[in-house]
Amino acid sequence: PGWNGPRDFTSEQYGPGASCIDTDKAFQVEVAFRVDGAGSLAAMEVTLMQEGHNCPLNFRVADYKGMAEMTTALNAGMTPIVSYWSADDMLWLDGKGGDNRGACDGDSAKKCGDSVTISDF
């Protein structure tokens, strides 16, 4: 099995050895929380970039039904969390999926780096 939902990128664009984001190498992630004129959360935008590749990947989440609740939670002090973890059974997230368009054929926790740098908050 694996992921069966919509995909924003092909395995040629994102994944091991891919042309835009080669996940075997370090890459940058930029996240923006966009608000409307009333200060309510309107969208979350994510951009993935990699040195030596001139094709950043972007996606935007603007139709999430819980935007009002997210706005309330963020205004109350909720902090977005970033985590880095690995496992040998991640194909539910990044596997080929039923559409066979996902980035990964298999997972190996041993291939993940021992650490990650998170900066520029």
Side-chain angles (χ1 to χ4, degrees):
W3 175 251
N4 259 337
R7 299 192 189 273
D8 293 294
F9 320 121
T10 66
S11 57
E12 289 78 28
Q13 295 171 305
Y14 177 90
S19 62
C20 294
I21 304 295
D22 178 354
T23 57
D24 287 329
K25 300 176 182 173
F27 61 95
Q28 294 74 45
V29 179
E30 211 173 79
V31 180
F33 294 91
R34 304 293 181 201
V35 295
D36 61 20
S40 296
L41 184 62
M44 181 181 75
E45 297 172 349
V46 178
T47 301
L48 308 176
M49 301 158 288
Q50 191 167 51
E51 189 173 323
H53 297 255
N54 192 24
C55 50
L57 300 177
N58 303 287
F59 63 93
R60 175 182 172 96
V61 178
D63 57 357
Y64 176 60
K65 293 178 176 132
M67 286 294 193
E69 291 85 358
M70 286 287 294
T71 298
T72 300
L74 289 167
N75 286 337
M78 181 182 81
T79 303
I81 299 295
V82 177
S83 65
Y84 176 73
W85 46 283
S86 61
D88 290 328
D89 58 354
M90 296 292 296
L91 294 178
W92 62 269
L93 178 65
D94 59 5
K96 290 293 184 185
D99 62 4
N100 204 35
R101 292 179 50 208
C104 297
D105 288 321
D107 287 320
S108 172
K110 293 180 208 164
K111 288 185 74 176
C112 295
D114 292 332
S115 65
V116 63
T117 300
I118 299 173
S119 60
D120 297 330
F121 279 90

